Amino acid sequence: DQQVKQNSPSLSVQEGRISILNCDYTNSMFDYFLWYKKYPAEGPTFLISISSIKDKNEDGRFTVFLNKSAKHLSLHIVPSQPGDSAVYFCAARGTSGSARQLTFGSGTQLTVLP
Amino acid sequence: DSGVTQTPKHLITATGQRVTLRCSPRSGDLSVYWYQQSLDQGLQFLIQYYNGEERAKGNILERFSAQQFPDLHSELNLSSLELGDSALYFCASSVSQGGLLDEKLFFGSGTQLSVL
């Protein structure tokens, strides 16, 4: 039972355009959401996060949107750059029970074409 | 560089064998987490240790065990290996015992295990 789902295994975008990565979750106990980025032969690194009390968080070219009623979040990258090509993992966490541990989605491979 | 060191980077072994994966956390971090990433799967939480004691358990098989030593490095032991155990195993560390909503995990580069 996947509690965090990333339904698009891959996404290709032209350099300079917007990249939109999507994530859905099912556990209503999740209160905090994170995006991690992973390059080949490296471990995931933290990118950006959002608390459930917010609907948007922005950091430079990266913005995460949270729609709590739809249990959906998205990561926008504007403008996309070739160096953004990586696997992006959505992750979620709550404060009690099994939700206390970070739960990850299966990842989306983003390719930014020059 | 996350500061988390995992060895070895690659491990090839046969079914039925036993292997040990090693992780050194970032300096100052007391928690170590183990995650498994199988093909086309997300990172699955296996187990967490905090300051030498088991803190939380996820979907870890009985054939797998872990420990954290007084110097805070951790080892993940995988025994009676099966083909399906082939995966990328990540170690992560954090400063606290977990439970903080905004706590960030810092990941090592992983150990790729291939069971033939």
Side-chain angles (χ1 to χ4, degrees):
Chain A
D1 176 29
Q2 273 192 298
Q3 299 185 62
V4 178
K5 298 180 184 178
Q6 294 178 256
N7 292 317
S8 297
S10 62
L11 174 69
S12 289
V13 171
Q14 209 67 36
E15 180 179 4
R17 305 294 292 267
I18 183 172
S19 295
I20 300 177
L21 295 92
N22 294 302
C23 177
D24 297 294
Y25 63 96
T26 57
N27 192 335
S28 57
M29 295 174 70
F30 288 146
D31 286 325
Y32 201 78
F33 305 89
L34 306 89
W35 285 92
Y36 277 77
K37 180 167 77 171
K38 183 186 177 305
Y39 291 117
E42 295 182 11
T45 56
F46 170 76
L47 182 61
I48 192 170
S49 61
I50 187 168
S51 165
S52 62
I53 62 174
K54 295 185 175 181
D55 55 17
K56 175 183 174 181
N57 188 27
E58 194 171 348
D59 183 3
R61 296 185 296 112
F62 302 90
T63 303
V64 56
F65 295 91
L66 175 63
N67 183 333
K68 205 173 175 186
S69 61
K71 293 191 175 66
H72 176 84
L73 64 155
S74 61
L75 174 67
H76 292 210
I77 306 174
V78 183
S80 301
Q81 299 174 353
D84 296 329
S85 297
V87 177
Y88 289 79
F89 291 99
C90 170
R93 174 193 276 137
T95 54
S96 61
S98 61
R100 288 169 60 93
Q101 297 298 329
L102 265 186
T103 300
F104 286 84
S106 55
T108 296
Q109 171 71 58
L110 173 66
T111 302
V112 180
L113 305 168
Chain B
D1 183 8
S2 67
V4 179
T5 304
Q6 286 189 250
T7 56
K9 291 193 183 302
H10 302 277
L11 201 46
I12 301 174
T13 188
T15 55
Q17 295 298 305
R18 182 179 190 274
V19 296
T20 297
L21 313 183
R22 183 188 168 103
C23 169
S24 294
R26 288 190 324 158
S27 176
D29 283 358
L30 299 179
S31 272
V32 169
Y33 305 77
W34 287 97
Y35 281 83
Q36 177 194 55
Q37 185 186 13
S38 302
L39 201 60
D40 296 332
Q41 298 286 316
L43 284 75
Q44 302 290 321
F45 169 67
L46 296 179
I47 198 164
Q48 176 202 357
Y49 277 81
Y50 172 74
N51 205 21
E53 298 202 358
E54 183 182 303
R55 176 80 178 127
K57 220 168 185 176
N59 299 321
I60 187 166
L61 300 173
E62 284 192 15
R63 300 183 286 108
F64 296 1
S65 65
Q67 54 185 326
Q68 186 179 28
F69 296 86
D71 66 353
L72 300 177
H73 91 270
S74 177
E75 293 181 356
L76 179 66
N77 300 296
L78 315 177
S79 62
S80 303
L81 284 168
E82 302 175 358
L83 296 177
D85 297 328
S86 296
L88 192 50
Y89 291 84
F90 286 106
C91 167
S93 72
S94 70
V95 64
S96 79
Q97 61 182 326
L100 298 176
L101 275 179
D102 61 348
E103 185 165 7
K104 311 291 186 300
L105 267 58
F106 296 86
F107 284 83
S109 56
T111 294
Q112 179 67 59
L113 174 66
S114 298
V115 182
L116 306 178

